[in-house]
Structures are given as structure tokens and as C-alpha cells.
Amino acid sequence: MARRRDEEDDDIEQEEDYYEDREVLDDEEEEDLEEEEEEEEEDRRGGKKRRRSQFIDDVAEEDDDEEDDDDEDYGRRGRRKQKSKRRSASDYFDIEAVVDSDGEEEEEEGEEDFIDNANDLPDEDDNRQIHRRPLLPREEEDVDDLERRIQERYRKSVHIDYDEETTDVDQQALLPSVRDPKLWMVKCAIGHEREAAVCLMQKCIDRGPELQIRSVIALDHLKNFIYVEADKEAHVREACKGLRSIYNSQKVMLVPINEMTDVLSVESKAIDISRDTWVRMKTGTYKGDLAKVVEVDNVKQRVTVKLIPRIDLQAIANKLENRETPKKKSFVPPPRFLNVDEARELNIRVERRRDPMTGDYFETIDNMKFKDGFLYKIVSMKSISSHNIKPTFDEMEKFRQPSENGDGDLGGLSTLFANRKKGHFMKGDAVIVVKGDLKNLKGWVEKVEEENVYIRPEMKDLPRTLAVNQKELCKYFEPGNHVKVVSGTQEGATGMVVKVEQHVLVILSDTTKEHIRVFADDVVESSEVTSGINKIGDYELHDLVFLDDTNFGVIIRVETEAFQVLKGVPDRPEVITVRLREIKSKIDRKFSAQDKWKNMISVKDVVRVLDGPCQGKTGPVEHIFKGVVFIFDRHHREHAGFICAKAFSCVVIGGSRANNDRHGDSRSRLANFRQSNIPPSPRKHSRGGPLNYGGRHGGGRGHNDPFINTRVRITQGPFKGYCGRVKEIKGTSARVELESQMREVQVDRSKLSEIVVSTPHRESRYGVGSETPMHPSRTPLHPFMTPMRDPGATPIHDGMRTPMRDRAWLPMSPPRDDYEDGNPASWGTSPHYQPGSPPSRTYEAPTPGSGWASTPSGSYSEAGTPRDVSSAYVNAPSPYLPSTPGQPMTPGAASYLPGTPGGQPMTPGTGGLDAMSPVIGVDGEGPWYMPDILVNVVRPGDESATGVIRDVLPDGTCRVALGPTGNGEMITVLPSEIEMVVPGKSDKVRIMGGSLRGQNGKLMGVDANDCIVRLEENLDIKILDLGILAKLP
Amino acid sequence: MFFHIILERNMQLHPRHFGRNLRDNLVAKLMKDVEGTCSGRHGFVVAITGIENIGKGLIRDGTGFVTFPVKYQCVVFRPFKGEILEAVVTMVNKMGFFAEAGPVQIFVSNHLIPDDMEFQSGDMPNYTTSDGSVKIQKDSEVRLKIIGTRVDATEIFCIGTIKDDFLGVINDPATA
Amino acid sequence: MSGEEEENAAELKIGDEFLKAKCLMNCEVSLILEHKYEQLRQMSEDPLNQVSQVFEKSLQYVKRFSRYKNPDAVRQVREILSRYHLTEFELCVLGNLCPETVEEAIAMVPSMKTKGRGLDEEAIEKMLNDLSLIKTFE
């Protein structure tokens, strides 16, 4: 501006002042922010009799300069001068016209284009300007002036060039002030804004200086209004008179000064919408749909796009036949290619028309044009979004289907890529050039800069590194590469490339073994294999889950979106891939099952498969459900080591329940047992007993011969509490004919106790120690642990004595070593027990009460420690802990410890054993009796009578009211003299053990040893072991 | 491809195994630990054929275990990218088919099956040529080329192709 | 990763360790594994239980895909193939796949051609002929 001032000194002195006032800064420093200002100056000057040529020159030059400046300036300016060429200086115009008809065009176009795409114009303008420049004669200037001007111009422009960053202050200085022409907002016909602006411009050209408006702006995004720059409103109205599209009566609004800049701010870079670009519809029935641009009409701002039609032929047919159509359905018909024949069938009139412009034939239905099944629709540019369109594969496939082969789309793909945000290239990536002269050149990335990527090409003859534009490169992969997807829908997946199709890769997912299609941009080469997640949602690796009502299985592998589940179909391993949502629920219930020899299998027991394809495999049981066990065999290569087998075809290793002892002995020397602990808490034991299952038996007992045919009571295991007669003795186990049920069961010798009247104490309750820590009941004293000990310990149990002895032996025998855990007693269901596992030691504590409790805490891990744990509980017999390693177990022992996962025997419950709650229901009949249950009183000499317990005294005796309803006389009996009545179907029952102890319910059904009970209080259905249920009168 | 190589491993032994049978115990433990395992470098260790050398045992501080460096010979199976071998088809589905070559499982994607072979579902899903002359189904023997391998924690998984010349079903067992 | 380091059996890029190692043909492995299996069978009652699945699968595989059953034949095969300048790997691939024509052989072991070791078509043809002779006389 300064320049101009200088030049126009004579004419423009006042202006100079004006300008000086206005502009604090040195004009030379910067180009005006707003052309407006320049324009004003120019125009102002022009208003007077400027030296037109000079002015023109200036203007032209100015423009040149401005245009020469980098685009940034233009961009900022946005509005291209809408110079209203009011200067009628015909010279000027003529010159311009003559010299360069482009000029006017330029202006016009400039007007339009600039308004739209500020960026593009400058280039065009530049070119044009450059053309223009040499053609403009400078007649009226003298040489000196010319020289000076040129110098200044170039100096300024150079200066300007350097001074790229216009600071805020500079910018502020260019803002309009009160003395600048104002901006008026004029209402015009909607859709005709551009037309109005062009008309005004034309008017200016025709009228010249009469028209006192400076410029006109028509914005794309602002409908119904145009802006006119003028000093006075009257000028605006005057100018708009006679224009069809501007309603003269409309008011003209003044734009406040501080909002003037907003009018011209350009918000976002618009991407050229050109043919074959992928766009998405923003509104209407096709909202969100992918579309391909077929034709672009910039003037009318409309494009013709190709879409997959969503039409309801039926509705159209109805309409055409004037049938009643149901109210316009709110649902959007799904996208489907149009089949002309279908339409014809419905009697819809299909015309074949020829589009005059493109020459193609279209089928027209209801005014919609179709071709090849696609719908061709003309929409306004506003209703499509072309920015960052990422079509999914499905969509692209659909577009490809009907007619095109891949080629047609390749073009589409390239533009797609050009418009997408590209992934970053990293050093070492293999890339291939996809555009330009070097197309199909492969190379590796050496360095990445902003836009340019330096690659090392594969071919020898080329220079070592080449700079290539990022847009022309694409990552390159070969089949066999292992990759990881880093963006897009499949993010996180890893796999191997199977096929490469230009930009698209087909990858075989590591986890789901399915094919994934991804863009090459979205992957990087990596050797990482996704499998790190162990858990999705609620489900973890190795969980037992319900797939639907009948199917269940164990999760053997967790992948990004799916799980691999080994179905619970024994004998025929079946692995299926399921998604998270297909899993119904986790199976939490603990179940127990019986093995071939009717031993109870509980989780963590080691079993061997006897039948079926996995015959011979051994391993600890991870899950049990409905008679099917899932065994985890480390050596088994398939299915992550899981084997599914029928419980019936396995055998618990270690034998029957007798194992319990084994463990006990070795490990826990329960010596403590001796201590009294046990007896006192008879009630508490929480079942103790059962654990032993684990079967590992060890001991072989031989004695018991005298026991044959004696009446015994089973003190542990699922049949705890049952009375029977010993029929046969085999080693450590005995076959007992139960009195209450018509069958014979195999029981570990240690679990039997002779029924001697005087044994009040319990039998087994406490701990048997060895087995599962929990039980201290067994014989509390049992020193399971001490192999040798035993006998002493049993003070309390009488019956147990013998067993104990035997138990003592249980040497933990080396065989156990084989198992990783050794679990000795795992109680059937108790999940953790590791019966036998050295940890058991912890039990030691016979603490009757603790029963289980003890275990857990114990850190078993070391075999030795057990004791501490127990202390926690009760009696902490502590002594027990025999040094585990040493323990009886013998060499094997050491191995156990580590093995048993904490399993503490039973500990699950720990804590409190809540006295009765042996949890898993292992045999019911707990020694703990509760009032109000129906029992059978068996006194030696008497016949059994039924009665209802009224009271349970602290020392274990109970007061029983005889009679089925408890109405008879009251007697006091010892626990050993009473046994619970086994409830039948539809009986009211009370739960005697487990966490639900004490609750009442109704027995809905019996399934082997499992009973289905509906609880009274909350109507929950629970499945419990028969043993823990007692009948209510 | 099967190789016979010498590997080395440090075995830890508990003192209870000492004694006369120390060496046997060591060998037994070695076999138990190593046979059947898989590593990315050597592939699957199929079988140990002999012990080359057992070094001096070193007692570890703190524990009573003794570490023996053992050198042993073993047969390993290691698939290589680009290798051509024969395998047995174990499962066919529409994505392709799985084949096994010894301990390693190879997947041949349908993209890498010649185009003239199409998937036929049914009781015995298979890939058949249009004229029905060549069929790939469960238990067929095929010759394939490995184009990529991936090593997991416990196994090696490969991708193969039968699209090249001389690959595909082995028709005549007698043919060399 | 750049392709240069990538392993590729077709170009014999299998790592030093394996290039120098002794390679075994299926038939040879078959003999070894069978022998071992016998040993196990004698020692304990249930050999199948003792061996890993890898062993089992490998045994099944080599039994099924051995071209030569006879140990003598196997030895001869190795001997014949060693007369030519082949690496262990190439030798075993040929022994396993037993190509019939020269073209097939080159497709199976592309590295034969590229190495320039004097393995021209004639030599390959002769080699294949010898191999087939063994087969017929097995």
C-alpha cells in the first residue's frame, strides 16, 4: 500500500493520510490481509480520475504481486476482489479487455472459484496474471516513475515473500475500521446467490463508476444472502435495482465490523470432487451410503452419483396403480441392485431412455434413473461428503459386483487413497510405487520426511535413494509375510499374508484362522502373534462356559474377538470358534462326578482315561460338568492340552477315596490331631471327610479282615454318614453295602468307622487330616501326616483309629510324584484342593472347625509351612506341619508342593469353615445336626425310629422328639446314634452343609447324587449333594 | 524337513535322583522335558537319539539342585519357507484346507488353490476340479509349498500353496 | 523386514546352522523312529503312552510318506545322490519327493539351477534315472 501511495501521491494525498492514519504499521511490511483494503484503496483512487493505466497497472501488478505471493496469502484473503469495475476508464478496461480477455474472465472466474476454493484460484490467477503482465502497456508513466515503482514493487514483494508469517498484529492492522467501506448483507433468491453476484458484476462493468459498490460476495454455504461492499446503503440499493434475483424491497443489513472477517473465512479445505471419487451421502434415504461420482457440475453445484438403490418396488407399484399404499413406511429399504425384470413383473413402467448428455441408456422408473442395477442420482454438492471416505470392503465389493471388474475400481481406489489419511511409512517398510513414472518399483523406506519418502529401490541401476511423494507410495507385502493390522476395523489382528491384490491384502488370521481383507495401509509387518489376551469380557482362558442350553465347553484359546472352545463332547474332540456374544454364561457350579470305580472325581484330581481316543492320558481334572470331565494334559498337543472325556471312562489315579489318608500322612503330620481339637467341634467340621477322595491312595491296608460283615459307618466321602456292612475288603478299600440305599459302594478303609455305640465323637469329621486339610475332621488327630503316627492321634475318633493307622501309611508314594500335584485329597468338588498335595499340610490343624479353612491360608507351597496356616484356624495343630519335604511322602513329596496350587485342600471355604458347610456338598450327613430335621434314631438294641431333632447340645448330643412329626417323647441321643433321613422327591428339606446351610427348601428332583432343591426364601434353584440335605417333617 | 542336530540344554536335577542311576535319570528327564517341544529356531524336537556329552554338574546356590549341561543328538522337524513337501489333508472348509506334515500343521487358503478347483460342501467337504478329475478331501495326500511360517508358543503353523507347477494332489503313490 | 534376510528354502537360505546340519529323508527318519519305538515297547508295556504326540505324528507321517522301505535301498539312495554336488537339504528334498522329470526336479529344488554347480539337465536326468532304478529293484 505504501507503494501505491507513493505512486499516487498527487492524486491521493489525502488517501495517503488516510492510510497512514489507518495503518500504523508500515505497509511495506506486509500484504494486506484483506484485499478488501487494497481494493478500497484502489477503488478509491479509481474513483477519482486516477491515472488509469497506472492504476490499472497497479491493480494488475498489485494483483500480480499478490498472486505471486504465496498461496497462503490468497488463502487468507479468500475473497477475491470482486472488483466492481466501476472505473469506467475505458482504457483500463479496454486494455485489459484487449490485452487479456482473460482478465475479465479471470475476475469472473476468480469470483466464483475464489469463493469456492480459495486455494485453487491463486494458481489460475497467477498464470493469468503473469500472462497479463507483459501485455499491459504503461503509457502514462515516465521512465523514472516506472523504475521506481518496479523497484519498490519488487522490493516489496520480495519483502513480502520473506515475510511469510504475518503476525497477529499485522493482521489486526488490516482489519476494517470505521472508515472502510462496509459490508451489507442483501437478501436474494435462494440458490441464485451466485447469479446475483455475477449480475452485479456485469452491471458494474457496464455502468462503470456510477455503481458505487465496491464488491459483491456470494458464499456457498450461506444461502439466500449476498454481501455487498459499499459505503452507503443507498449505494447498495441502487446497485441492486433491477436485478431479478435480488428483492429490492428486502432489507439490507449491515455487517458489524468485527464480523466482517468472518464472512470471508474459509473453514476447511475442500477436496476436489471429481469424477470417480468416492463420496458418502449425507441426507435422505441414502444417508451414509457410499456413492461414486459420475458427473460434476460446478456451476450448479450438483453432482451425479451412482448408488446402490434402496427402493421398494412394491411401494412404487402400488403408487402407480393408485393402490392404497400403507403410510409411508419409516423404514429404509435395504440396498439392493435393481432388477429390471422384477420391476416389470410388478407392472411398473420401465422406460428406456437415453440421457442426452452422456449418451447412455438408462432405465427409468418413477423418475429415477437406473443403469446396470445402480441408481444414478443428481444431488447437490452439499449433500455429499467427500472428506476422508473410508469405504469398507463390503461396500466396495458391492459396487464392483454387477459389472465392473477390478480395473474400473482401481481408479476409484487410487482416488480413494489419495483422499484418505495415509498411514505412516516407517523405515524398513517395503513399499511399491503406485503412481507416476516409477510405477511398480519396489523398494524399502530409508527415511521419511513430511511429504517425501526416501526409498531404496530394488533395482540396481537406480541411485541409492529416491525421493517419492507419499501419495504415490503404498506399502507392499508378499504372501508369507507375517503382519499386524494397526488401524481400521480389524485393528489388532495378526496373521499371515495369503494374497496381495493391489491395495488389498488377504490375511489369514492367527487366531480365528479366517481370511481378513485389509488395506495395505493398515498393516505393518510384525512377528507378533496376538494371543496375549486371556480374557474377553467375563470369560477367561480355561473357563467352562455354556454355549447354549445343551452345549458347553472349555475355552482353550482367547482371541481378539472370539474364543476357541473345546466342546463337552467326550470321545470326539470338537473345537468351535465362538464369539463373545454366543457364550451364554460361565458355569460356576461345582459338580462332582464318579469315575469308573465309583470314586468321586473332583476338580484337581488326577485321573487317567481308560476308554476312548484319549485312552491312557492322565492329568488333573480342570472341570466337571454333567458327567463329563475336562482333563488338562500338558503333553497333549491338541486343544491346549485339554481332553474331554466321560467321567465314567476315567479312573481316579490313586484309587479310591482311601487316598486321603495318603496324603495326610505324608504330609501333614497331623500329629496334632491328637489334640483334642477335634472333638469339640464336631459340629463344625465341615465335612471334612470327603476330601480324601483324591484318591491317591496309598496305603494298602491289609487289615480289616475282621471287619467283614461288621456294621460300619462311612465317615467321609459322598456317603458320609451312611451305615452299612462291609462285604469285602481289598487292600485299602472296602465294599460296603449301604443300608439305606440298595447298593454297594467302594469306600476307603480309612473312611469307615465301626459303629460302636459309645463313640460319640466323630468320626471322621475331623479331620482326617491328610486329605484335605479340610477335614480335620477326619480324625482329627489323624496324623495323616505322620505316616507313622497316626494312632495316637486319634483320640477322638474312635472309630477312626484304625483307619488312621492305615492311613499313616499312605506313603505318599512316589507315584504321586508323577502328578503334578499330588493332590491328595481333593475333595471331590472342592476345587482346590489339592488333596494330598503337600500343601495340605496346612491343614493339619485338625481344627475341626477350620476344616477347610486351614488350608487355604497355608501357603502351602512349601510343604513345610502348612502349619502356619492351620494355626490360623484352630488348634492349629501346628505340629503338623511336618517338614513337608521330608514327609512321609518321600521323594515325591517334594514335588508336590509346588504342584499344588494352593489348592489347599479345601480351603476353598476356609475361613470359616463354617462348620458345617463343607461346601460342595460332599456327602451330606454331616455330623452336624440341626434342629427340626427328621432323623432316624438307631440305638443298638432298639429298632430304628424316626424323630425330629429338637435341640442340639453343645457336646454333640441331640434331643430328639420321636415320631414322624416330632410329637413323641424326647430322648437324648448321641450323634452317632442318629442319622439323617434321606429326603425324597418333593420333600421339604433343610440344607445341612455348604454355604446354604440352614436354609430350607423343597427337593424338586434327584439325579444320581445331585439333588435339585428350590430354596424357600428366594426361590432359587440349587443343585446340591444328597448328602447335605436333611428331610424336614 | 527333518534334521539331525546336536543341541544343548542345562538340566536341573534333584539330589534324590543321584546315585547309581544318575545318568539314566538325567536322560529320562531330558527326554521327558524336551521331546515334543517346539522352538522357533529348531522346530519340533521329535526324538532324542543319543547323548553326546554330559558335562560336570554344578550345584546351584541356595537350592540343592544340580545343573548339568547336556549335549544330545536329536531329530528335529523344521519347516522352511519355500520348502516343498507332502502332507495329509485333515480338514477341508470353504476357507481352504488344513494339512498335516508330521507335527506341523499347514493351512492352504482357497486363494492359493488353483482357480479351477471349487469347494464342495457336504458330508465330505472337498475341493474338486470342474471336470471332477482331481479331488482334495480329508485324508488326501498333497504336495504343497510352504510360503510362510509362524511359530507359536507350542507349535509351528504354516501357510502353503498348491498353485505352482507340480503341486497338488499326489495321484499315484507309486510315482516318485 | 527386507527380503534379503528372509529365509527361503528355494534359494537355500535356511540359516547356517541348518545348512551344515545333517538332513534326513523321510525314509531315514522312519527307520530311526521305528527303532526307538521298538525300544520303548520293550521297556514298558505301553509305549504309546510314553511318547509325545509330536513323536507319534512324525512316525505316522514318515511311515506314510517314505518312498523306500528297505534300509539298503535307503542307503543306496543317499549314496547316489551324494555323488552329485548337492547340499544336504537339496538331497533330502529330492529323496523325499522323487521327481520323475528334470523339469519337476528343478521346480522342486530351484536352487539346483541357480548355483551353477555343474548340475545341468543331463546330470539331473541321470540322477533321476538312477533313483528310479533303485525303486524298481527295492
Side-chain angles (χ1 to χ4, degrees), chain A residues 705-998:
Chain A
D705 288 337
F707 279 83
I708 294 201
N709 267 333
T710 48
R711 233 170 135 245
V712 291
R713 167 166 289 147
I714 302 175
T715 58
Q716 289 178 32
F719 300 103
K720 181 169 180 172
Y722 284 92
C723 293
R725 277 189 193 279
V726 179
K727 288 287 166 217
E728 196 190 352
I729 300 208
K730 254 190 300 212
T732 48
S733 67
R735 284 184 73 68
V736 176
E737 185 194 62
L738 296 180
E739 281 176 24
S740 47
Q741 296 183 5
M742 299 276 277
R743 62 177 183 163
E744 289 188 44
V745 295
Q746 192 118 335
V747 186
D748 208 75
R749 189 60 198 78
S750 54
K751 298 192 191 143
L752 299 175
S753 77
E754 267 185 314
I755 296 187
V756 176
V757 178
S758 57
T759 28
H761 303 288
R762 73 227 34 299
E763 340 173 294
S764 38
R765 282 205 243 220
Y766 316 103
V768 242
S770 40
E771 295 134 323
T772 16
M774 304 217 249
H775 331 276
S777 40
R778 270 290 210 141
T779 15
L781 300 179
H782 274 296
F784 307 100
M785 326 273 182
T786 30
M788 300 316 139
R789 310 224 232 152
D790 68 355
T794 27
I796 326 219
H797 345 271
D798 349 74
M800 314 278 75
R801 279 205 234 102
T802 348
M804 283 199 297
R805 244 176 290 131
D806 297 339
R807 250 192 275 222
W809 303 333
L810 293 197
M812 289 280 260
S813 43
R816 242 196 292 231
D817 297 353
D818 302 346
Y819 295 106
E820 286 149 53
D821 351 354
N823 351 321
S826 31
W827 191 321
T829 38
S830 17
H832 293 262
Y833 312 56
Q834 292 286 13
S837 25
S840 19
R841 256 164 279 141
T842 22
Y843 320 123
E844 341 267 28
T847 41
S850 29
W852 310 306
S854 29
T855 28
S857 7
S859 21
Y860 294 103
S861 38
E862 304 298 323
T865 27
R867 241 347 98 119
D868 319 329
V869 177
S870 13
S871 347
Y873 310 95
V874 202
N875 314 323
S878 35
Y880 310 100
L881 290 181
S883 41
T884 20
Q887 301 238 330
M889 306 285 346
T890 52
S895 34
Y896 298 114
L897 296 174
T900 30
Q904 317 324 346
M906 307 260 227
T907 21
T910 64
L913 302 172
D914 32 255
M916 322 253 213
S917 39
V919 276
I920 322 228
V922 182
D923 54 289
E925 284 216 74
W928 31 101
Y929 290 109
M930 301 167 91
D932 292 334
I933 59 170
L934 218 54
V935 289
N936 274 339
V937 181
V938 179
R939 285 210 216 183
D942 284 355
E943 46 177 35
S944 67
T946 334
V948 178
I949 296 184
R950 286 287 170 227
D951 250 327
V952 182
L953 301 172
D955 66 347
T957 52
C958 310
R959 285 157 61 72
V960 178
L962 293 175
T965 50
N967 291 335
E969 60 171 33
M970 288 283 245
I971 55 171
T972 307
V973 292
L974 301 164
S976 53
E977 294 172 343
I978 52 176
E979 59 188 9
M980 292 198 312
V981 174
V982 182
K985 202 159 168 201
S986 301
D987 279 344
K988 280 185 75 180
V989 295
R990 176 168 289 183
I991 301 171
M992 309 284 284
S995 50
L996 301 161
R997 176 179 161 79

Side-chain angles (χ1 to χ4, degrees), chain C residues 11-26:
Chain C
E11 298 164 23
L12 273 189
K13 289 197 188 131
I14 57 176
D16 262 354
E17 194 181 354
F18 287 105
L19 269 177
K20 299 189 200 143
K22 181 159 167 62
C23 206
L24 295 173
M25 288 190 278
N26 289 351

Side-chain angles (χ1 to χ4, degrees), chain A residues 451-465:
Chain A
E451 281 279 320
N452 289 331
V453 179
Y454 292 92
I455 64 170
R456 183 166 41 99
E458 215 178 16
M459 285 205 254
K460 307 250 171 44
D461 300 327
L462 295 171
R464 276 219 73 221
T465 55

Side-chain angles (χ1 to χ4, degrees), chain A residues 588-619:
Chain A
D588 268 339
R589 278 189 231 117
K590 312 282 179 223
F591 288 98
S592 56
Q594 288 195 338
D595 74 355
K596 199 157 196 159
W597 304 115
K598 299 246 178 31
N599 294 323
M600 290 305 290
I601 307 181
S602 50
V603 178
K604 295 280 177 247
D605 279 351
V606 181
V607 297
R608 167 184 278 149
V609 182
L610 298 174
D611 305 322
C614 301
Q615 184 183 358
K617 302 260 185 231
T618 58

Side-chain angles (χ1 to χ4, degrees), chain A residues 202-218:
Chain A
Q202 188 61 44
K203 195 165 171 181
C204 271
I205 293 173
D206 296 337
R207 298 281 183 83
E210 287 172 23
L211 230 47
Q212 310 236 19
I213 58 177
R214 312 283 188 142
S215 63
V216 181
I217 304 169

Side-chain angles (χ1 to χ4, degrees), chain A residues 66 129 201 205 283 302 326 408 418 491 498 530 536 552 621 708 716 749 775 783 818 843 859 930 935 959 970 1018 1029:
Chain A
E66 290 157 11
Q129 298 292 353
M201 191 182 75
I205 293 173
T283 55
R302 293 163 83 78
E491 183 175 345
V498 170
T530 321
I536 304 181
F552 59 94
V621 173
I708 294 201
Q716 289 178 32
R749 189 60 198 78
H775 331 276
D818 302 346
Y843 320 123
S859 21
M930 301 167 91
V935 289
R959 285 157 61 72
M970 288 283 245
N1018 54 0
L1029 297 175

